[in-house]
Amino acid sequence: MQVRAKKSLGQHFLTDLSIAERIACSLKPEGASPETPADVLEIGPGMGVLSQYLMEREDISLKMVEIDQESVDYLLLNFPKADGSLIQGDFLKLDLERFFRKDFCIIGNFPYNISSQIFFRILDHKDRVPQVVCMIQKEVAERIAEKPGTKVYGILSVLLQAWYDIEYLFTVGEGAFNPPPKVKSAVIRLERNGRKDLGCDENLFRTIVKTSFNQRRKTLRNSLKPLLAEKAVKENWSPAEYSMITSDPVFALRPEKLGVEDFIALARRLM
Ligand code: SAH
């Protein structure tokens, strides 16, 4: 019995075992050993191609979350070991605090249709998630790992790079899957950097990044106008003050020119 691939769940099953093993080995939780195994959550195990290698590792304690009933049935039938560590549910709604009392790493061949949502959820739990290894659409992987100044650099690049060091590990062709996806894939590793806080309001930082990239052809002076106006009212800026503040050269730039530190500096200024 095989699981019938469902497009709506982003199911493209990896069939190349050497790639599966390579992905499983790319997870390197710091300080993990058979005596002190690291908690790991696999998102979307499907038919367990990755899970089988992860279950063999003695330095990790694996949990899996899979939304698809048919895949859950398949896993329980073929991997009796999975019983007790397999959660049937939606990662996006999973009560992570309930399942993990301490830090946990994340691994998976992500369902590509919700990979951005998965990353936003990881960001919400960044202080508990020291490392992520995932396969995603190559284009998204490049965007996330990209440095400022390029066309693909965007919201997730800035938000993730603020908290994680990101490494592009390798590319995977369409032929490694059944059914083959229309796009190439890539495996990346995110490792939490040492940053404890931004020194500014995190929500404001996120709003600035999102607002400016949502109108990425505009200069910050234009895209952030509503935010600036709000602050001007709150702090009673005179028109002269307004033009002095917004004459800072940073406001003449488009968002793709700003690195993480520049966005942080900007958020501090607009606090
Ligand atoms: N890891 C497997 C399957 C990858 S396909 C392999 O490499 O072959 C993506 C998997 O994620 C599918 O099994 C799909 O059912 C599952 N999935 C999709 N949306 C999910 C969600 N919201 N939460 C948990 N799993 C999900």
Side-chain angles (χ1 to χ4, degrees), residues 16 33 38 188 231:
D16 186 324
S33 70
I188 56 172
K231 194 168 160 70

Side-chain angles (χ1 to χ4, degrees), residues 9-14 42-46 49 65-68 71 89-91 109-111 114:
L9 295 178
Q11 289 180 339
H12 293 278
F13 299 109
L14 181 65
E42 185 190 358
I43 301 177
V49 67
V65 58
E66 172 57 64
I67 201 169
D68 176 35
S71 296
D90 180 347
F91 168 74
N109 292 340
F110 288 175
I114 57 162

Side-chain angles (χ1 to χ4, degrees), residues 141-171:
E142 285 168 345
R143 183 175 318 155
I144 288 173
E146 195 52 271
K147 293 280 161 270
T150 57
K151 273 219 174 74
V152 295
Y153 179 73
I155 295 173
L156 271 178
S157 333
V158 180
L159 297 183
L160 286 169
Q161 287 173 27
W163 303 103
Y164 289 93
D165 294 330
I166 298 165
E167 213 180 326
Y168 185 102
L169 298 178
F170 54 91
T171 306

Side-chain angles (χ1 to χ4, degrees), residues 78-89:
N78 290 278
F79 302 95
K81 252 194 185 168
D83 196 15
S85 54
L86 178 60
I87 303 156
Q88 177 173 13

Side-chain angles (χ1 to χ4, degrees), residues 115-116 119 136-145 156 188:
S115 58
S116 296
F119 286 120
I136 49 179
Q137 211 176 307
K138 179 171 184 258
E139 202 190 301
V140 179
E142 285 168 345
R143 183 175 318 155
I144 288 173
L156 271 178
I188 56 172

